[in-house]
Amino acid sequence: MALSKPVRTIWDIPREERFAPGHTMCQGCGAAIIMRHLTKVIGKDAIIVQATGCVEVTTTAFPRTSWLNPWLHLAFENAGAGASGVEAALKALKRKGVIDPNRKIKVVAIAGDGGTFDIGLQSLSGMLERGHNVMYVVYDNEAYMNTGIQRSGATPLGAWTTTTPVGKKMRGELRPKKDLIGIALAHRIPYIATASPAYPTDMVEKLRKAYETEGPSLVHIISPCTPGWRIRNEDTIKVARLAVLTGMWVLLEIVNGKPRVTVKVPKRKPVREYLKLQGRFRHLTDEEIARIQKMVDEYVEEINRWVGEQAIGPVEE
Amino acid sequence: MSLTLEKKEEKKEGLKQVIGRRIAATGNYAAALAVRDADIDVAAIYPITPQVQIAEKIAEFVADGELDAEVIHVEGEHSALSAVVAAAATGARAFTATSSQGLEYMHEILYIASSLRQPVVMALATRALSAPINIWNDYADAFGMRETGWIMLFSENVQEVYDNLVQAFRIAEHPDVLLPVVVTLDGYILSHTVEPLEPLGREEVLSFAPKRPRGYRPVLDPDYPITVGTLGTPHWYYEAKYQQVVALRESKRVIEEAGREFGKKYGREYGLIEKYMMDDAELAFVSLGATASLVKAAVDRLRKEGVKAGMIKIRVLRPFPADEIAEALENVEAWATLNRAISYGAAIEEPLFTEIAAALAVRGIVKPMASFVHGMGGRDIFVREIVEMYKKLDEIRRSGRRVKRTYFWGVKGHDPEEDQAM
């Protein structure tokens, strides 16, 4: 059974584990925590379509699997299209009486940032635009981690990756992160949210709402990557929390176009606290950090204007 | 696109009286009718010339309530094939159609469809590949998918488009096969040409190709969850690939069985190959698709002149009917191929030839042989040109000379014999 009650405290998260151990994800992997909670929410009657990526290769090395749900992987760029096909088939087979029309079977697409922001964007757009009843979950570790930390459209400004190296002329990623939420919004889908594994009740509640939504929903979850972000295995949650507390990652929920900040941050920490924990930002000078701080200040201002309140407060040293 | 010619009650002995009417239809319309009669559950459609009318017709059938299917208006062919593979895995009878660049765009998923053993059916209105961009017929697209693990059926006329598609669903979904099937129709030459067609109707098609046959279960079933499309490490990848080799090889039996039973029920029997005037033939050409019709016409003309000409039409390109072709060519004095496809830089640049030559060589059959390419990008092939090719083959037989390169026939300002000197 899928989780049907609202999640207010940690005790509302189901105890049953539906993400089997034995996978080969790294110690401290953010995505592993996300998958564990996602499978708790969706229960048995969900079909998962997964894009190629870290989670796919680490959980399905034949003959082992971590998945207790029917699970399909086709390729890197087509989680949206595959999920559309499953959903259309369920619809037709229910209408024709092959599958019990009263049985709720949800389709869940899972992809990383590469499979969503970059190579999978077209297939995601098609799926959202056509209004398929699919819940799409993005675990965003901000680079192509599975192939060894290459820059993606989700890589943040200044971050070192193997394809945005820190050299004499160029110092890490030159562009800010692509606005995926803006792209999802433009499709006018009923439910969009951002989440963080550092806020599990908020994340699980959002996954639950996305699951309950009739029509396309998208949950965009930040997923710290220990080797890729150059962080200590035990710092995953700390870093994920600091992303929120510094305003680099705002926990949003947009229901039918109406935005809300679900975890308010009355007093922000400076971005330096988030950056300094991560090897991928180690090269940044005070000047470069100031530039990122300014970018985040503007982003926070934009969010506050959008939600119509001071959801994220000023920086307090 | 279709009009009823006559109400027809054929009284053929021993045949089922299912032929309610003979209509006039284009190849595209015939394909859409077959799909409607097969009661597909999901279609992914995306426009590309010259298959686009198949997509339009399916949409029309659904809009008119003649077909109860989910139509996914995908944003490209890569997604089209991805969606139907996923739909098939969910237990749906799923279909898509494409041509040329569309097929190339979905190429990645062609391998995945067959490797995941998903019984999707696709119509391919064959068309030249860019560049230069060209919307007319040749077989470059079809020949480019030979390595992808699909069963490939070629159609010679509009009736065969319909019949092949009906059989395709039965073959693909057979529990011993579970492989995708592509059915070709020559772009424009069949896709847009009106010919007589005897559709079987839904009741007959569903009795010939029943949905969800015994032993078939959806792959994605919440009550029986399995993981599909896993990581295949070096420990297991090879075994999966060998299973695929065996499955495609053994699908031959099911294809033959379907063709035989189709003949018994409806009077049109289908084999892996079709022989035309081969009993006493000395010179034989092998061809496929609608091009085979032209070769037949050339054979007729040559027979009138007293030349013992014959032809073999390949209906099933994959799995390749090596035994059947070797047997058919065993007693001819010389053979050649005529194809509308090029394998650039290959040992022999006409790709059908390499397969037949290999099939014969491993059986110890060596005789004068040649290969001809013509009709690229919709260039018309005239029957008189094929007659000339037969005469070239005759000259090769008589002189006993070895022809080491493909003849590129009909290139402006080019003597095809020059290719031999290169």
PDB file of all heavy atoms in Angstrom, chain A residues 30-51:
ATOM      1  N   GLY A  30      23.766  10.173  -1.286  1.00  0.00           N
ATOM      2  CA  GLY A  30      22.474  10.833  -1.096  1.00  0.00           C
ATOM      3  C   GLY A  30      21.361  10.121  -1.820  1.00  0.00           C
ATOM      4  O   GLY A  30      20.238   9.990  -1.310  1.00  0.00           O
ATOM      5  N   ALA A  31      21.657   9.623  -3.015  1.00  0.00           N
ATOM      6  CA  ALA A  31      20.626   8.972  -3.825  1.00  0.00           C
ATOM      7  C   ALA A  31      20.100   7.710  -3.150  1.00  0.00           C
ATOM      8  O   ALA A  31      18.915   7.387  -3.254  1.00  0.00           O
ATOM      9  CB  ALA A  31      21.176   8.649  -5.217  1.00  0.00           C
ATOM     10  N   ALA A  32      20.983   6.989  -2.432  1.00  0.00           N
ATOM     11  CA  ALA A  32      20.544   5.771  -1.751  1.00  0.00           C
ATOM     12  C   ALA A  32      19.493   6.113  -0.699  1.00  0.00           C
ATOM     13  O   ALA A  32      18.489   5.394  -0.544  1.00  0.00           O
ATOM     14  CB  ALA A  32      21.739   5.066  -1.114  1.00  0.00           C
ATOM     15  N   ILE A  33      19.716   7.220   0.000  1.00  0.00           N
ATOM     16  CA  ILE A  33      18.751   7.653   1.030  1.00  0.00           C
ATOM     17  C   ILE A  33      17.431   8.043   0.366  1.00  0.00           C
ATOM     18  O   ILE A  33      16.340   7.705   0.842  1.00  0.00           O
ATOM     19  CB  ILE A  33      19.332   8.853   1.826  1.00  0.00           C
ATOM     20  CG1 ILE A  33      20.648   8.439   2.496  1.00  0.00           C
ATOM     21  CG2 ILE A  33      18.330   9.372   2.842  1.00  0.00           C
ATOM     22  CD1 ILE A  33      21.481   9.609   3.007  1.00  0.00           C
ATOM     23  N   ILE A  34      17.537   8.710  -0.778  1.00  0.00           N
ATOM     24  CA  ILE A  34      16.331   9.138  -1.495  1.00  0.00           C
ATOM     25  C   ILE A  34      15.542   7.911  -1.971  1.00  0.00           C
ATOM     26  O   ILE A  34      14.321   7.833  -1.810  1.00  0.00           O
ATOM     27  CB  ILE A  34      16.717  10.053  -2.678  1.00  0.00           C
ATOM     28  CG1 ILE A  34      17.366  11.338  -2.160  1.00  0.00           C
ATOM     29  CG2 ILE A  34      15.501  10.361  -3.542  1.00  0.00           C
ATOM     30  CD1 ILE A  34      18.077  12.152  -3.233  1.00  0.00           C
ATOM     31  N   MET A  35      16.224   6.925  -2.562  1.00  0.00           N
ATOM     32  CA  MET A  35      15.543   5.740  -3.081  1.00  0.00           C
ATOM     33  C   MET A  35      14.860   4.967  -1.953  1.00  0.00           C
ATOM     34  O   MET A  35      13.769   4.461  -2.101  1.00  0.00           O
ATOM     35  CB  MET A  35      16.525   4.813  -3.811  1.00  0.00           C
ATOM     36  CG  MET A  35      17.115   5.413  -5.072  1.00  0.00           C
ATOM     37  SD  MET A  35      15.866   6.021  -6.206  1.00  0.00           S
ATOM     38  CE  MET A  35      16.539   7.617  -6.630  1.00  0.00           C
ATOM     39  N   ARG A  36      15.560   4.882  -0.831  1.00  0.00           N
ATOM     40  CA  ARG A  36      14.990   4.154   0.306  1.00  0.00           C
ATOM     41  C   ARG A  36      13.667   4.791   0.741  1.00  0.00           C
ATOM     42  O   ARG A  36      12.681   4.095   0.974  1.00  0.00           O
ATOM     43  CB  ARG A  36      16.005   4.166   1.454  1.00  0.00           C
ATOM     44  CG  ARG A  36      15.520   3.471   2.676  1.00  0.00           C
ATOM     45  CD  ARG A  36      16.615   3.362   3.737  1.00  0.00           C
ATOM     46  NE  ARG A  36      15.965   3.057   5.004  1.00  0.00           N
ATOM     47  CZ  ARG A  36      16.121   3.762   6.119  1.00  0.00           C
ATOM     48  NH1 ARG A  36      16.941   4.797   6.139  1.00  0.00           N
ATOM     49  NH2 ARG A  36      15.475   3.429   7.206  1.00  0.00           N
ATOM     50  N   HIS A  37      13.640   6.118   0.796  1.00  0.00           N
ATOM     51  CA  HIS A  37      12.414   6.793   1.219  1.00  0.00           C
ATOM     52  C   HIS A  37      11.351   6.779   0.126  1.00  0.00           C
ATOM     53  O   HIS A  37      10.169   6.630   0.403  1.00  0.00           O
ATOM     54  CB  HIS A  37      12.729   8.216   1.680  1.00  0.00           C
ATOM     55  CG  HIS A  37      13.415   8.248   3.006  1.00  0.00           C
ATOM     56  ND1 HIS A  37      14.777   8.114   3.137  1.00  0.00           N
ATOM     57  CD2 HIS A  37      12.920   8.324   4.266  1.00  0.00           C
ATOM     58  CE1 HIS A  37      15.101   8.132   4.417  1.00  0.00           C
ATOM     59  NE2 HIS A  37      13.994   8.266   5.133  1.00  0.00           N
ATOM     60  N   LEU A  38      11.783   6.898  -1.097  1.00  0.00           N
ATOM     61  CA  LEU A  38      10.829   6.866  -2.220  1.00  0.00           C
ATOM     62  C   LEU A  38      10.078   5.536  -2.243  1.00  0.00           C
ATOM     63  O   LEU A  38       8.852   5.500  -2.384  1.00  0.00           O
ATOM     64  CB  LEU A  38      11.582   7.079  -3.545  1.00  0.00           C
ATOM     65  CG  LEU A  38      10.778   6.847  -4.826  1.00  0.00           C
ATOM     66  CD1 LEU A  38       9.647   7.866  -4.940  1.00  0.00           C
ATOM     67  CD2 LEU A  38      11.675   6.943  -6.056  1.00  0.00           C
ATOM     68  N   THR A  39      10.806   4.442  -2.087  1.00  0.00           N
ATOM     69  CA  THR A  39      10.150   3.134  -2.153  1.00  0.00           C
ATOM     70  C   THR A  39       9.230   2.910  -0.955  1.00  0.00           C
ATOM     71  O   THR A  39       8.249   2.172  -1.053  1.00  0.00           O
ATOM     72  CB  THR A  39      11.196   2.000  -2.238  1.00  0.00           C
ATOM     73  OG1 THR A  39      12.198   2.214  -1.249  1.00  0.00           O
ATOM     74  CG2 THR A  39      11.834   1.944  -3.611  1.00  0.00           C
ATOM     75  N   LYS A  40       9.526   3.535   0.163  1.00  0.00           N
ATOM     76  CA  LYS A  40       8.619   3.454   1.306  1.00  0.00           C
ATOM     77  C   LYS A  40       7.284   4.123   0.973  1.00  0.00           C
ATOM     78  O   LYS A  40       6.225   3.687   1.393  1.00  0.00           O
ATOM     79  CB  LYS A  40       9.225   4.164   2.525  1.00  0.00           C
ATOM     80  CG  LYS A  40      10.265   3.363   3.281  1.00  0.00           C
ATOM     81  CD  LYS A  40      10.949   4.259   4.307  1.00  0.00           C
ATOM     82  CE  LYS A  40      12.011   3.492   5.081  1.00  0.00           C
ATOM     83  NZ  LYS A  40      11.449   2.613   6.121  1.00  0.00           N
ATOM     84  N   VAL A  41       7.358   5.224   0.204  1.00  0.00           N
ATOM     85  CA  VAL A  41       6.154   5.993  -0.114  1.00  0.00           C
ATOM     86  C   VAL A  41       5.293   5.271  -1.145  1.00  0.00           C
ATOM     87  O   VAL A  41       4.080   5.177  -0.998  1.00  0.00           O
ATOM     88  CB  VAL A  41       6.536   7.397  -0.641  1.00  0.00           C
ATOM     89  CG1 VAL A  41       5.305   8.125  -1.180  1.00  0.00           C
ATOM     90  CG2 VAL A  41       7.213   8.215   0.435  1.00  0.00           C
ATOM     91  N   ILE A  42       5.913   4.761  -2.192  1.00  0.00           N
ATOM     92  CA  ILE A  42       5.113   4.304  -3.341  1.00  0.00           C
ATOM     93  C   ILE A  42       4.496   2.924  -3.135  1.00  0.00           C
ATOM     94  O   ILE A  42       3.510   2.586  -3.787  1.00  0.00           O
ATOM     95  CB  ILE A  42       5.936   4.317  -4.656  1.00  0.00           C
ATOM     96  CG1 ILE A  42       7.134   3.365  -4.570  1.00  0.00           C
ATOM     97  CG2 ILE A  42       6.375   5.729  -4.980  1.00  0.00           C
ATOM     98  CD1 ILE A  42       7.961   3.304  -5.839  1.00  0.00           C
ATOM     99  N   GLY A  43       5.054   2.142  -2.233  1.00  0.00           N
ATOM    100  CA  GLY A  43       4.442   0.834  -1.959  1.00  0.00           C
ATOM    101  C   GLY A  43       4.536  -0.108  -3.140  1.00  0.00           C
ATOM    102  O   GLY A  43       5.321   0.089  -4.076  1.00  0.00           O
ATOM    103  N   LYS A  44       3.669  -1.108  -3.107  1.00  0.00           N
ATOM    104  CA  LYS A  44       3.785  -2.241  -4.021  1.00  0.00           C
ATOM    105  C   LYS A  44       3.253  -1.934  -5.429  1.00  0.00           C
ATOM    106  O   LYS A  44       3.823  -2.370  -6.423  1.00  0.00           O
ATOM    107  CB  LYS A  44       2.992  -3.391  -3.385  1.00  0.00           C
ATOM    108  CG  LYS A  44       2.829  -4.628  -4.210  1.00  0.00           C
ATOM    109  CD  LYS A  44       2.090  -5.685  -3.392  1.00  0.00           C
ATOM    110  CE  LYS A  44       1.631  -6.846  -4.234  1.00  0.00           C
ATOM    111  NZ  LYS A  44       0.476  -6.548  -5.102  1.00  0.00           N
ATOM    112  N   ASP A  45       2.131  -1.200  -5.476  1.00  0.00           N
ATOM    113  CA  ASP A  45       1.460  -1.016  -6.764  1.00  0.00           C
ATOM    114  C   ASP A  45       2.016   0.175  -7.538  1.00  0.00           C
ATOM    115  O   ASP A  45       1.294   1.118  -7.875  1.00  0.00           O
ATOM    116  CB  ASP A  45      -0.047  -0.876  -6.561  1.00  0.00           C
ATOM    117  CG  ASP A  45      -0.687  -2.235  -6.319  1.00  0.00           C
ATOM    118  OD1 ASP A  45       0.023  -3.260  -6.449  1.00  0.00           O
ATOM    119  OD2 ASP A  45      -1.890  -2.272  -6.008  1.00  0.00           O
ATOM    120  N   ALA A  46       3.291   0.139  -7.799  1.00  0.00           N
ATOM    121  CA  ALA A  46       3.921   1.185  -8.608  1.00  0.00           C
ATOM    122  C   ALA A  46       4.902   0.518  -9.542  1.00  0.00           C
ATOM    123  O   ALA A  46       5.609  -0.414  -9.156  1.00  0.00           O
ATOM    124  CB  ALA A  46       4.627   2.194  -7.712  1.00  0.00           C
ATOM    125  N   ILE A  47       4.917   0.989 -10.779  1.00  0.00           N
ATOM    126  CA  ILE A  47       5.877   0.489 -11.763  1.00  0.00           C
ATOM    127  C   ILE A  47       6.930   1.568 -11.954  1.00  0.00           C
ATOM    128  O   ILE A  47       6.596   2.730 -12.203  1.00  0.00           O
ATOM    129  CB  ILE A  47       5.172   0.151 -13.097  1.00  0.00           C
ATOM    130  CG1 ILE A  47       4.169  -1.000 -12.890  1.00  0.00           C
ATOM    131  CG2 ILE A  47       6.199  -0.204 -14.173  1.00  0.00           C
ATOM    132  CD1 ILE A  47       3.350  -1.351 -14.119  1.00  0.00           C
ATOM    133  N   ILE A  48       8.180   1.181 -11.795  1.00  0.00           N
ATOM    134  CA  ILE A  48       9.266   2.159 -11.875  1.00  0.00           C
ATOM    135  C   ILE A  48       9.937   2.078 -13.247  1.00  0.00           C
ATOM    136  O   ILE A  48      10.245   0.992 -13.736  1.00  0.00           O
ATOM    137  CB  ILE A  48      10.306   1.895 -10.767  1.00  0.00           C
ATOM    138  CG1 ILE A  48       9.654   2.085  -9.392  1.00  0.00           C
ATOM    139  CG2 ILE A  48      11.526   2.807 -10.926  1.00  0.00           C
ATOM    140  CD1 ILE A  48      10.539   1.662  -8.225  1.00  0.00           C
ATOM    141  N   VAL A  49      10.135   3.241 -13.860  1.00  0.00           N
ATOM    142  CA  VAL A  49      10.928   3.318 -15.092  1.00  0.00           C
ATOM    143  C   VAL A  49      12.144   4.183 -14.777  1.00  0.00           C
ATOM    144  O   VAL A  49      11.998   5.326 -14.336  1.00  0.00           O
ATOM    145  CB  VAL A  49      10.116   3.928 -16.253  1.00  0.00           C
ATOM    146  CG1 VAL A  49      10.980   4.016 -17.511  1.00  0.00           C
ATOM    147  CG2 VAL A  49       8.858   3.110 -16.531  1.00  0.00           C
ATOM    148  N   GLN A  50      13.312   3.629 -14.959  1.00  0.00           N
ATOM    149  CA  GLN A  50      14.520   4.303 -14.494  1.00  0.00           C
ATOM    150  C   GLN A  50      15.459   4.622 -15.653  1.00  0.00           C
ATOM    151  O   GLN A  50      15.663   3.793 -16.543  1.00  0.00           O
ATOM    152  CB  GLN A  50      15.237   3.380 -13.500  1.00  0.00           C
ATOM    153  CG  GLN A  50      16.544   3.924 -13.003  1.00  0.00           C
ATOM    154  CD  GLN A  50      16.515   4.231 -11.521  1.00  0.00           C
ATOM    155  OE1 GLN A  50      15.757   3.634 -10.769  1.00  0.00           O
ATOM    156  NE2 GLN A  50      17.313   5.180 -11.112  1.00  0.00           N
ATOM    157  N   ALA A  51      16.022   5.802 -15.618  1.00  0.00           N
ATOM    158  CA  ALA A  51      17.028   6.172 -16.617  1.00  0.00           C
ATOM    159  C   ALA A  51      18.373   5.564 -16.235  1.00  0.00           C
ATOM    160  O   ALA A  51      18.620   5.267 -15.071  1.00  0.00           O
ATOM    161  CB  ALA A  51      17.144   7.690 -16.690  1.00  0.00           C
TER     162      ALA A  51
END
